Amino acid sequence: EIVLTQSPGTLSLSPGERATLSCRASQSVGNNYLAWHQQKPGQAPRLLIYDASRRAPDIPDRFSGSGSGTDFTLTVSRLEPEDFAVYYCQHYDKPPWTFGQGTKVEIK
Amino acid sequence: QVKLQESGPGLVEPSETLSLTCAVSGYSISSGFHWGWIRQPPGKGLEWIGFFYYTGTTSYNPSLKSRVTISVDTSKNQFSLRLTSVTAADTAVYFCVRGVDSWGQGTLVTVSS
């Protein structure tokens, strides 16, 4: 089973700042089958990034994903008020699929 | 555009069986993708429960495998989750999903007598 570890647990930033979120896997994620989801309170998660670096439809280009193997990064170039939320990475390589524990991006 | 909608009892008694259904519209589940379930206990993170692939194979979280069954009804374009012998630890919002790209709105299931 691939264990995903996200850091930091909480990121305190101001609107307009850059956010950099990390997701580290306990073993290599094949085919870079790594996704990032955003979840706001009371809502279902929403896919932002798949295949480590491909933006999902209708996702603003301020969101970008990078990385391969065991180290992956989600970057939000300039935080908008609606970007303050919890972010989860997920791998979908060989089952069982797993999630990281989440990074909360909060307003400083 | 695909839409997924969960339905089922919001309250289940301890030791009983939790049963949920996910109705899919806008895409035929027999055409492709993995179709699965994810849960989120109140105030906690996401836990992958399992999926079935449109070719018929299934895969489950090892920690739940002995209690979980995911089945499909292609005639109704829906799939279901069955979790036996539930305890309070199974209280969560349950989401049905298509692969990684589409989520249902989620349904809260509370295990309590």
Side-chain angles (χ1 to χ4, degrees), chain A residues 45-47 56-59, chain B residues 1-5 23-29 33 35 77 98 101-105:
Chain A
R46 174 178 73 145
L47 176 67
D58 301 324
I59 299 302
Chain B
Q1 183 176 351
V2 66
K3 289 190 69 175
L4 301 95
Q5 179 66 58
V24 179
S25 58
Y27 190 88
S28 171
I29 60 176
F33 286 97
W35 302 88
N77 211 42
R98 182 184 77 170
D101 70 354
S102 300
W103 296 69
Q105 66 183 26

Side-chain angles (χ1 to χ4, degrees), chain A residues 1 35 37 39 43-47 50 88 90 92 95-99 101, chain B residues 34 38 40 44-48 51 59-60 62 95 99-101 103-105:
Chain A
E1 173 176 325
H37 303 276
Q39 187 178 33
Q43 296 184 18
R46 174 178 73 145
L47 176 67
Y50 66 99
Y88 294 94
Q90 177 196 10
Y92 48 104
W97 295 357
T98 55
F99 289 90
Q101 80 278 22
Chain B
H34 297 83
I38 290 162
Q40 185 172 38
K44 296 189 177 180
L46 301 167
E47 180 180 31
W48 181 78
F51 64 65
S59 185
Y60 301 124
F95 299 97
V100 297
D101 70 354
W103 296 69
Q105 66 183 26

Side-chain angles (χ1 to χ4, degrees), chain A residues 6 8 14 23 25 34 41 44 52 56 61 69 71-73 77-79 81 94-95 98 104:
Chain A
Q6 292 187 239
S14 301
C23 177
L34 193 287
D61 61 7
D71 287 294
F72 300 89
T73 300
S77 58
R78 289 178 56 86
L79 285 164
K94 297 181 182 63
T98 55
K104 181 179 182 179

Side-chain angles (χ1 to χ4, degrees), chain B residues 69-103:
Chain B
T69 303
I70 296 176
S71 58
V72 60
D73 186 339
T74 54
S75 67
K76 295 182 179 179
N77 211 42
Q78 64 185 33
F79 60 101
S80 299
L81 170 70
R82 193 166 175 271
L83 181 66
T84 62
S85 304
V86 297
T87 69
D90 296 309
T91 294
V93 175
Y94 286 76
F95 299 97
C96 58
V97 296
R98 182 184 77 170
V100 297
D101 70 354
S102 300
W103 296 69

Side-chain angles (χ1 to χ4, degrees), chain A:
Chain A
E1 173 176 325
I2 296 177
V3 176
L4 299 177
T5 302
Q6 292 187 239
S7 61
T10 302
L11 202 49
S12 298
L13 295 168
S14 301
E17 290 193 294
R18 181 185 188 91
T20 303
L21 287 66
S22 172
C23 177
R24 179 160 291 177
S26 60
Q27 56 188 279
S28 185
V29 177
N31 301 298
N32 289 333
Y33 282 164
L34 193 287
W36 290 92
H37 303 276
Q38 176 194 67
Q39 187 178 33
K40 298 178 182 179
Q43 296 184 18
R46 174 178 73 145
L47 176 67
L48 299 175
I49 301 289
Y50 66 99
D51 293 353
S53 61
R54 299 179 186 272
R55 257 189 310 276
D58 301 324
I59 299 302
D61 61 7
R62 63 180 181 273
F63 291 93
S64 63
S66 63
S68 64
T70 61
D71 287 294
F72 300 89
T73 300
L74 175 70
T75 301
V76 188
S77 58
R78 289 178 56 86
L79 285 164
E80 297 287 340
E82 62 268 27
D83 299 336
F84 292 91
V86 180
Y87 294 82
Y88 294 94
C89 59
Q90 177 196 10
H91 92 82
Y92 48 104
D93 186 18
K94 297 181 182 63
W97 295 357
T98 55
F99 289 90
Q101 80 278 22
T103 290
K104 181 179 182 179
V105 179
E106 64 177 22
I107 299 176
K108 187 175 182 180

